[in-house]
Amino acid sequence: MNDLPIVADIRREWDWVRPGVEEIIAGQPQLTYRPEDVYAACVNQEATLFVRKGASGNDFAVTIVEFDKYSGEKGLFMWLAYLNQRGKKQASKLMEFFEQVGRDCGCSYVELKTPLEPLGTYYLKNGWELDTKVYTRKI
């Protein structure tokens, strides 16, 4: 497996990326976007697809550089991440890479959201700060 992800063309990778996007969306029914929205954002260069391919499976991440109009800072938002093999500290290894991507893009922070409590606990133990949790209730 390539050690580090590379930027990829969503058009060429969509056949294997789409099922991962669908799995993420199916597991988090609060998400309001569709797989096609991810595809369109990448095609329109509003988001960037990173892939890492290997014999045991493929991984991908989709990032967006966001601008905070109040602080003037840019942040690298980890919109989606899919790891074929979970565990083995894969996330921590990849976060160092994405922190560098953020620096290369002139970002002052990396941001992610997860409803998965074990991931939240992991990130807090590894140098991340809890800024906001977003909870919603339909009425």
Side-chain angles (χ1 to χ4, degrees):
M1 178 175 280
N2 296 336
D3 287 356
L4 297 175
I6 59 169
V7 174
D9 182 346
I10 193 83
R11 289 180 178 102
R12 291 191 173 133
E13 310 296 339
W14 188 239
D15 288 343
W16 70 266
V17 168
R18 181 186 178 114
V21 173
E22 290 171 338
E23 182 180 326
I24 291 168
I25 292 171
Q28 299 179 55
Q30 76 279 11
L31 298 176
T32 57
Y33 55 87
R34 301 169 53 135
E36 294 82 4
D37 297 322
V38 176
Y39 182 89
C42 291
V43 166
N44 292 320
Q45 298 179 348
E46 298 164 355
T48 303
L49 172 68
F50 290 86
V51 300
R52 187 173 72 159
K53 296 182 179 182
S56 60
N58 300 329
D59 305 327
F60 71 85
V62 179
T63 64
I64 300 173
V65 174
E66 296 182 324
F67 180 76
D68 184 323
K69 67 180 181 179
Y70 301 109
S71 71
E73 294 181 311
K74 287 195 310 186
L76 183 70
F77 175 55
M78 301 294 300
W79 184 13
L80 295 167
Y82 182 87
L83 295 174
N84 187 53
Q85 290 187 346
R86 291 158 178 97
K88 300 181 184 177
K89 300 187 179 183
Q90 291 293 312
S92 65
K93 293 174 188 173
L94 291 172
M95 285 317 300
E96 290 178 21
F97 169 80
F98 284 108
E99 287 172 5
Q100 186 59 50
V101 169
R103 284 190 286 275
D104 292 346
C105 292
C107 297
S108 58
Y109 61 92
V110 177
E111 180 178 80
L112 58 83
K113 298 176 184 177
T114 181
L116 307 174
E117 197 59 41
L119 282 177
T121 301
Y122 169 80
Y123 287 121
L124 287 173
K125 288 181 180 178
N126 287 282
W128 289 75
E129 294 179 13
L130 176 60
D131 181 50
T132 304
K133 281 190 176 184
V134 178
Y135 295 93
T136 60
R137 181 178 183 168
K138 293 191 181 218
I139 56 170

